[in-house]
Structure formats: structure tokens, C-alpha cells
Amino acid sequence: AQKITQTQPGMFVQEKEAVTLDCTYDTSDQSYGLFWYKQPSSGEMIFLIYQGSYDEQNATEGRYSLNFQKARKSANLVISASQLGDSAMYFCAMREGRNNAGNMLTFGGGTRLMVKP
Amino acid sequence: EPEVTQTPSHQVTQMGQEVILRCVPISNHLYFYWYRQILGQKVEFLVSFYNNEISEKSEIFDDQFSVERPDGSNFTLKIRSTKLEDSAMYFCASSRRLGPVEQFFGPGTRLTVL
């Protein structure tokens, strides 16, 4: 089974509108972390936001927020007031706690977001 | 703001040749990683490194691969005898500590094997 599933291969959003990128995960660990990274066309991986499994509040970083629904095992990224520069690939990733001495991140397949002017 | 750097940005090599990809992690970080991303696919974990030894490696990281921290700043990935399927973007990353903390990625090295 996939550990990280991103069901939206591509999405369009109108500039200045909000958009939600879906991410569901599969783990039996109690302690884990969820990450979102942005990959623009230039190729680098930019860290956006992190949510720990024990965090009670949803993480927020500027225009990015994470809609964390633990019971549903979902960690959706919400981008408010989309900008043209938000057009990129977005990857959800998980760091499981158990038997992970190497701190490995497992990535989803990504969602390509395209912001329309 | 401190960042992870990688050189070269693009490497072209012939099949069977050895390549060394170089990374300078963030200076106060203790954990280092290599990931790769084949064009159009997801990012895959290769190896993590701490205290001068490998902490964990994936199935991809076979005997053709090795990592080294030759001095106090550089972290290298060596592929001994490159294959066509090694063509990918290779990302170095680092983190301050173990656990669910952010890993900061470098800009990547695009490796093309001909």
C-alpha cells in the first residue's frame, strides 16, 4: 500500500483564490511528522510546512496552512490568496517514528498546481 | 539564511563511469541525506548519514553507491559505475537532529548518463 497518496495529479486555481491540495497517509506509528515541499520548474525542493502527529493545532506558515485530520489520516495543504509564483509541483511527505533510525522521508507522487491570472 | 549547496548543478557522464556528487550541508546540522528523483516521478530516499556512518539506506542504494564526509563540511555521493537508469535529479538534504524535524534540501544535481 502507498504510504503517501496525492490523488490530484494536476490542479488549476484562479489567482487570489484559495486552493486545497490533498494528501492522505498510511502509518501504524503513533509518532510521525508530515511535511509539504514545493518544487518549482527550476527543480529545487522548498520546505513549506510541517505538522507533528501530536500537535493539537493545525500548522500555519504565512499563506500556507495544513488541514490535519488525524482520524482520517489526511494532511491537506491549503494555500490562501494564490499567486502566480505558486505554480509548481507540491509534494507531501511523511517521517514515521518507529524503526526509522535514518530519518527517512517518504514522498507522495505530487500535485502540479497551475495558477491562472 | 543558511542553505544546503550542491555541485555540480548538472553532470553528464558516459555509462560505466564513476561520478561524485558533492554537497555542503547547513553548518550546524548533524544528519545528512541523499534522495533522488527520476524525471516525472516521486522523490525517493537513498541514504542517511550521521556521525560518520550510514544510519539507513534504501534498496536503491546498492554496492554501486557510497557516501562519505571527507572533511568537516562536504558530504559526497559516489556512483562507481553509472547505468542509464541512474539518470535523475539527486538531492542532498540535512537536518539539525533526528526525529520529525524539517529536512532542508539543496538545489539538486541533475545527472544524465549517456
Side-chain angles (χ1 to χ4, degrees), chain B residues 3-113:
Chain B
E3 58 184 19
V4 177
T5 59
Q6 290 184 243
T7 54
S9 56
H10 194 182
Q11 172 105 35
V12 181
T13 190
Q14 294 290 327
M15 189 170 57
Q17 295 295 304
E18 174 183 286
V19 295
I20 297 176
L21 309 183
R22 291 183 166 80
C23 168
V24 178
I26 294 173
S27 62
N28 63 346
H29 285 190
L30 300 177
Y31 293 83
F32 316 119
Y33 317 88
W34 284 100
Y35 292 82
R36 81 168 185 191
Q37 184 183 29
I38 295 171
L39 187 64
Q41 298 186 22
K42 65 173 69 175
V43 177
E44 301 172 291
F45 171 79
L46 291 178
V47 66
S48 59
F49 192 86
Y50 168 70
N51 201 26
N52 281 320
E53 59 183 29
I54 291 174
S55 304
E56 188 173 9
K57 58 184 181 179
S58 70
E59 301 173 343
I60 304 166
F61 194 88
D62 62 22
D63 292 344
Q64 293 299 311
F65 291 88
S66 63
V67 289
E68 193 177 33
R69 189 158 162 82
D71 53 44
S73 59
N74 290 285
F75 178 51
T76 62
L77 174 70
K78 181 193 290 186
I79 309 175
R80 280 186 245 290
S81 177
T82 50
K83 303 188 282 283
L84 295 176
E85 53 265 38
D86 293 328
S87 294
M89 180 77 96
Y90 288 81
F91 291 103
C92 173
S94 69
S95 64
R96 289 178 287 117
R97 58 178 176 84
L98 192 66
V101 293
E102 55 265 45
Q103 294 179 17
F104 292 94
F105 281 67
T109 292
R110 180 163 297 286
L111 176 65
T112 302
V113 182

